[in-house]
Amino acid sequence: MAQPTDLMDKLVSLSKRRGFIFQSSEIYGGTGSVWDYGPLGVELKRNLRDAWWRAMVHQRDDIEGLDAAILMHPRVWEASGHVAGFTDPLVECRNCHRRFRADNPDIAGGQCPVCGTKDAFGEPRMFNLMFKTFMGPVEEDAAVVYMRPETAQGIYVNFQNVLTSSRQRIPFGIAQVGKAFRNEITPGNFIFRTREFEQMEMQFFVEPGTDDEWLEYWKAARMDWHLSLGLRAEKLRFHEHTPDELAHYAKRAFDIQYEFPFGWQEFEGIHNRTDFDLSRHQAYSGKRLEYVDPTDTNKRYIPYIIETSAGLDRTLLVVMADAYREEEVEGETRVVLALHPKLAPIKVAVFPLIKKEGMPEVASRIHDAFKAAGINSFYDDSGSIGRRYRRQDEAGTPFGITVDGQTLEDGTVTVRDRDTLRQERVPTEGIVAYIRDRLQ
Ligand code: ATP
């Protein structure tokens, strides 16, 4: 199955046309690198988030969920190192005043890629990526607070709360999904790098000395999860951080990369963060964040943390890019999103072949049965059956059900498979169970 070379443009246009993703505040000309999810996009994003939550929280006994607030005590970001160190080097063109990240390869020769000025840039200055705002009614008196640039800190500051209330023992983890904000200097590539995005993060607390093993465990588990979404193995790889790339707090770190049309890029990080985070929060808050082993109370230590940190939006881009296909069918180009059924926004579409002879009534009843079973179904009776199938192919709907003349005679319907295009006759009676069995 072919993938076009201008895949990113195709994804942007499909997203807008079919209601996956729109530019934020589009009628005002758009907001810089912020995107809104439309009717199909919101379902896809939700299914992806739910699949992660199921695998990381519901299917395990050793991970608890959390939903911490976006606004946190400002000291959190001093302890975490973000106030002092969450910066990118920024340079500005002395002629057109456009700004770039100093490490952007487009400005390597010192020439401004926008206006062409030579020797355009002076010394870089450091630019903090955190969004700041004020808490309290009067701006001057109010405390500065930050919009969190990652969800992880909400987990660290709740470590003791979760530990005592859940009665977990080490090793165990805390998972959460939520918004993060970064005032990126060079956002771009659609939803790849944006200023507002969602992260799916899990922090796994382990005894020092067992951290290397757990890092290996989580590398394998996270790669398996991506494969379970149906992503092509040859498009995925690990990249180990070199000493230059390694964050100051990390002992070892791996990225899971995907081969995007613009090259191999990270979409999830798996990091051994040592005891850096809890030690810092203990020092800055004055609260003990040690773990006392309940089986041996002389054994106390600050846990090491293995982190798995994935971008929800960026993973959604991976999923869409991996699923997009164009193929020739009977002399026409068919665009299809071959999404895994568990991620597909619409699971099944129901069509009466024609709008008479009782077919719409039977089709409506089937559609209602899916809705009652919690399976997202779409009813469509307009246009030729071929056009209706093609609309669903673009939306990634794995199954199409057609009610036709034979249905009225023998009670069977046609089930069309999005990927193989095979059609099968299935009794109407068992249709909900038939589709449900094929969604996982
Ligand atoms: P990058 O180098 O791409 O900016 P990072 O190394 O700063 O990423 P982390 O801080 O490790 O990224 O964040 C973990 C994950 O969060 C990333 O793998 C990515 O999926 C997601 N992420 C980070 N920044 C953004 C962003 N600006 N837009 C969308 N997703 C992001």
Side-chain angles (χ1 to χ4, degrees), residues 55-281:
M56 298 298 274
V57 183
H58 289 172
Q59 289 176 348
R60 304 188 61 107
D61 295 323
D62 58 356
I63 299 186
E64 303 287 338
L66 181 76
D67 183 12
I70 288 169
L71 300 176
M72 302 181 73
H73 194 289
R75 289 276 283 167
V76 167
W77 306 109
E78 291 172 29
S80 69
H82 283 83
V83 171
F86 193 55
T87 51
D88 274 344
L90 174 78
V91 291
E92 184 172 321
C93 170
R94 59 187 161 80
N95 177 46
C96 71
H97 301 290
R98 287 299 178 92
R99 290 169 181 157
F100 304 90
R101 251 168 82 152
D103 55 5
N104 184 336
D106 296 345
I107 61 162
Q111 185 173 7
C112 176
V114 177
C115 70
T117 303
K118 297 218 166 80
D119 287 325
F121 308 107
E123 280 299 300
R125 66 194 169 87
M126 296 315 276
F127 172 79
N128 197 297
L129 301 183
M130 283 196 293
F131 281 96
K132 263 187 205 172
T133 185
F134 300 95
M135 191 176 264
V138 188
E139 223 174 79
E140 302 88 77
D141 307 339
V144 167
V145 289
Y146 300 97
M147 315 271 279
R148 67 178 177 200
E150 60 177 32
T151 61
Q153 299 300 325
I155 294 182
Y156 306 143
V157 301
N158 278 296
F159 166 66
Q160 284 293 1
N161 284 336
V162 174
L163 181 65
T164 16
S165 57
S166 67
R167 311 189 63 211
Q168 285 282 356
R169 289 181 183 184
I170 274 180
F172 80 99
I174 305 176
Q176 82 167 325
V177 183
K179 290 269 185 175
F181 303 83
R182 296 184 187 180
N183 202 0
E184 301 277 4
I185 300 168
T186 42
N189 281 327
F190 194 26
I191 55 168
F192 177 80
R193 190 184 306 285
T194 55
R195 295 197 169 105
E196 174 177 342
F197 54 97
E198 258 180 273
Q199 288 185 313
M200 308 186 284
E201 294 198 303
M202 193 283 300
Q203 312 292 322
F204 204 73
F205 300 88
V206 305
E207 185 178 343
T210 64
D211 47 309
D212 293 337
E213 259 169 70
W214 279 111
L215 182 72
E216 290 307 318
Y217 171 88
W218 280 112
K219 268 176 65 189
R222 295 304 304 145
M223 185 60 99
D224 283 351
W225 185 75
H226 292 298
L227 292 170
S228 79
L229 303 179
L231 299 179
R232 283 169 289 177
E234 67 273 21
K235 291 274 194 180
L236 295 168
R237 71 176 188 195
F238 285 111
H239 162 73
E240 177 161 16
H241 285 205
T242 60
D244 284 353
E245 293 171 294
L246 209 56
H248 58 284
Y249 51 75
K251 182 169 152 189
R252 269 184 103 188
F254 290 84
D255 294 337
I256 299 182
Q257 295 186 329
Y258 182 77
E259 191 179 17
F260 289 97
F262 45 90
W264 287 95
Q265 295 285 342
E266 160 191 355
F267 67 110
E268 171 154 1
I270 296 147
H271 311 130
N272 181 346
R273 302 182 62 115
T274 69
D275 59 0
F276 175 83
D277 306 284
L278 291 182
S279 301
R280 293 277 287 200
H281 285 301

Side-chain angles (χ1 to χ4, degrees), residues 207-208 288 290-293 296-303:
E207 185 178 343
R288 288 188 93 105
E290 273 177 351
Y291 176 76
V292 182
D293 190 329
D296 174 4
T297 47
N298 289 322
K299 201 164 151 193
R300 35 182 77 215
Y301 54 85
I302 304 253

